[in-house]
Amino acid sequence: MKKQRRKFTAAFKAQVAIEALKERQTLSELAVRFDIHPNQISTWKQEFLSKADQVFESPREKKPEEREDEMALYAKIGQLEMERDFLKKSLTKLDRLK
């Protein structure tokens, strides 16, 4: 029987990374405490440090090109919905004729 892969939440990963940054315990001790491999702790710690600058960034504004792309997609969705509705009506009319 296959062993299911464990999935960790972002909050858990952050907690482990912060504990590793505090350096009050060794990686081996943290691994036993959190029941994960020491290499995984090191990976999460490096990822946490590499993305730390994003915490203080302001929310990203959409670029005009992104807004235009988004509006084009909404227009396409509207067009496809209208076509679908038209085809539904046509199909019901054909069914009545049979």
Side-chain angles (χ1 to χ4, degrees), residues 21-58:
L21 286 170
K22 289 180 183 177
E23 295 183 352
R24 293 181 185 157
Q25 295 176 315
T26 64
L27 286 180
S28 299
E29 292 170 339
L30 289 173
V32 170
R33 179 175 157 197
F34 292 108
D35 189 30
I36 53 177
H37 197 276
N39 290 347
Q40 188 65 60
I41 295 173
S42 297
T43 303
W44 290 345
K45 180 180 172 183
Q46 290 304 317
E47 185 177 350
F48 186 84
L49 289 173
S50 68
K51 295 181 179 178
D53 61 335
Q54 296 174 2
V55 173
F56 298 108
E57 288 182 356
S58 61

Side-chain angles (χ1 to χ4, degrees), residues 1-88:
M1 190 165 135
K2 272 188 167 180
K3 186 176 179 182
Q4 270 196 337
R5 187 178 182 146
R6 296 189 312 175
K7 296 177 182 166
F8 301 102
T9 64
F12 178 77
K13 292 177 183 180
Q15 177 188 2
V16 173
I18 290 170
E19 288 297 321
L21 286 170
K22 289 180 183 177
E23 295 183 352
R24 293 181 185 157
Q25 295 176 315
T26 64
L27 286 180
S28 299
E29 292 170 339
L30 289 173
V32 170
R33 179 175 157 197
F34 292 108
D35 189 30
I36 53 177
H37 197 276
N39 290 347
Q40 188 65 60
I41 295 173
S42 297
T43 303
W44 290 345
K45 180 180 172 183
Q46 290 304 317
E47 185 177 350
F48 186 84
L49 289 173
S50 68
K51 295 181 179 178
D53 61 335
Q54 296 174 2
V55 173
F56 298 108
E57 288 182 356
S58 61
R60 187 175 78 93
E61 291 282 328
K62 289 187 178 179
K63 296 178 183 174
E65 304 89 39
E66 290 175 344
R67 287 190 194 128
E68 290 172 7
D69 291 342
E70 189 176 305
M71 294 305 294
L73 288 173
Y74 283 126
K76 184 67 174 176
I77 290 169
Q79 177 188 355
L80 291 172
E81 286 180 349
M82 288 179 64
E83 289 175 3
R84 183 195 65 199
D85 292 341
F86 174 77
L87 291 172
K88 272 186 185 180

Side-chain angles (χ1 to χ4, degrees), residues 85-98:
D85 292 341
F86 174 77
L87 291 172
K88 272 186 185 180
K89 289 178 185 176
S90 299
L91 184 62
T92 55
K93 287 179 184 176
L94 284 175
D95 285 341
R96 286 187 215 153
L97 293 176
K98 286 184 180 181

